[in-house]
Amino acid sequence: MACGASGRVAFRPMRLVIARCSVDYAGRLTAHLPSAPRLILVKADGSVSVHADDRAYKPLNWMSPPCTLKEADGDVWTVENKGGEKLIITLEEVMHDSSHELGVDPGLIKDGVEAHLQELLADRIETLGEGYSLIRREYPTAIGPVDILCRDADHRTVAVEIKRRGEIDGVEQLTRYLELLNRDPHLAPVKGVFAAQEIKPQARVLATDRGIDCVVLDYDALRGIEDDKLRLF
């Protein structure tokens, strides 16, 4: 993903490579994947991930953007991030190599409950804390809209992701938004709030590890049926 002279976001094609390869990671830790057939994804945002056929959606190894990919004679790929960490992919046999223009994804369409939670929380943003103020709902970014963007009592920018059921995918989604928003000097530093009617333990652990606050939403309370205080954990 890149920004052209006109200011429009240009999306690079996604590249899919199926190859017999070995993978080495060099950084804070070292890891080695021996030779085997694998799927390599090079996404429009610059990320590179290596997948096996038995791990569902989770990659064996990956490099998140911003990072650079260099191909040496087509046989050795070196993916390096700003911290100097490297993912080195040695291709032994390429069985498939194709690129596809996917364009801008419209994002996940929220169900009625999630949409109503967003509306209610935006209207009563002060329930997140005294002194909170709303910037806007559905704040647009290059990778999709942030549910709620607001400011806390100290005038720090806060990005809120709302789910009916809070799982790891939602935390990952908010993490991507925070990485992008924190590049904007007019908004940074931006902190995150992951809000849901129910938050899975694994999602809570991941959010806490990334400095993201978790908020359990009470749908009835937000509608004024019960006590209107949110439970923060």
Side-chain angles (χ1 to χ4, degrees):
M1 189 167 57
C3 193
S6 65
R8 294 181 180 177
V9 175
F11 284 82
R12 296 180 297 212
M14 175 183 283
R15 185 177 177 187
L16 293 82
V17 177
I18 298 176
R20 177 172 291 277
C21 63
S22 60
V23 183
D24 292 278
Y25 172 81
R28 289 168 291 180
L29 302 171
T30 58
H32 174 73
L33 294 173
S35 176
R38 298 185 175 96
L39 168 65
I40 306 168
L41 294 181
V42 183
K43 297 180 69 177
D45 61 6
S47 64
V48 178
S49 56
V50 181
H51 298 258
D53 197 26
D54 62 347
R55 303 295 178 93
Y57 65 89
K58 187 175 182 179
L60 296 167
N61 216 327
W62 68 94
M63 189 68 76
S64 300
C67 58
T68 57
L69 167 61
K70 295 181 181 178
E71 300 180 45
D73 300 324
D75 296 329
V76 179
W77 293 11
T78 302
V79 189
E80 184 173 0
N81 65 15
K82 289 185 176 180
E85 297 171 302
K86 295 181 180 180
L87 191 66
I88 302 169
I89 304 171
T90 303
L91 304 177
E92 301 166 12
E93 178 188 2
V94 177
M95 291 163 270
H96 177 86
D97 189 344
S98 64
S99 296
H100 306 270
E101 294 276 1
L102 300 186
V104 179
D105 191 272
L108 182 68
I109 304 300
K110 294 184 178 294
D111 65 19
V113 173
E114 288 185 4
H116 198 203
L117 282 170
Q118 182 192 118
E119 180 182 354
L120 289 169
L121 188 56
D123 287 342
R124 305 174 67 183
I125 197 66
E126 71 281 354
T127 54
L128 285 176
E130 186 177 353
Y132 270 70
S133 59
L134 179 69
I135 296 176
R136 68 166 291 176
R137 292 172 53 195
E138 299 289 332
Y139 184 86
T141 77
I143 58 174
V146 178
D147 285 341
I148 290 177
L149 199 69
C150 57
R151 296 193 187 279
D152 65 13
D154 298 320
H155 302 289
R156 293 176 299 182
T157 310
V158 181
V160 185
E161 179 63 24
I162 299 172
K163 299 292 184 186
R164 183 172 61 178
R165 176 178 295 177
E167 301 190 34
I168 286 177
D169 285 354
V171 179
E172 294 285 7
Q173 183 181 358
L174 179 54
T175 299
R176 292 192 293 272
Y177 287 143
L178 290 172
E179 288 176 354
L180 192 62
L181 292 169
N182 273 301
R183 298 177 194 173
D184 187 338
H186 298 292
L187 298 176
V190 184
K191 71 176 185 178
V193 171
F194 187 53
Q197 288 180 284
E198 173 192 0
I199 299 178
K200 296 294 185 179
Q202 300 93 330
R204 188 185 301 279
V205 170
L206 181 60
T208 302
D209 183 66
R210 295 182 177 180
I212 295 171
D213 292 338
C214 290
V215 175
V216 175
L217 298 175
D218 187 320
Y219 189 45
D220 288 337
L222 280 174
R223 290 189 295 163
I225 296 176
E226 297 177 358
D227 179 38
D228 64 355
K229 292 182 180 178
L230 297 177
R231 299 189 297 276
L232 280 76
F233 298 90

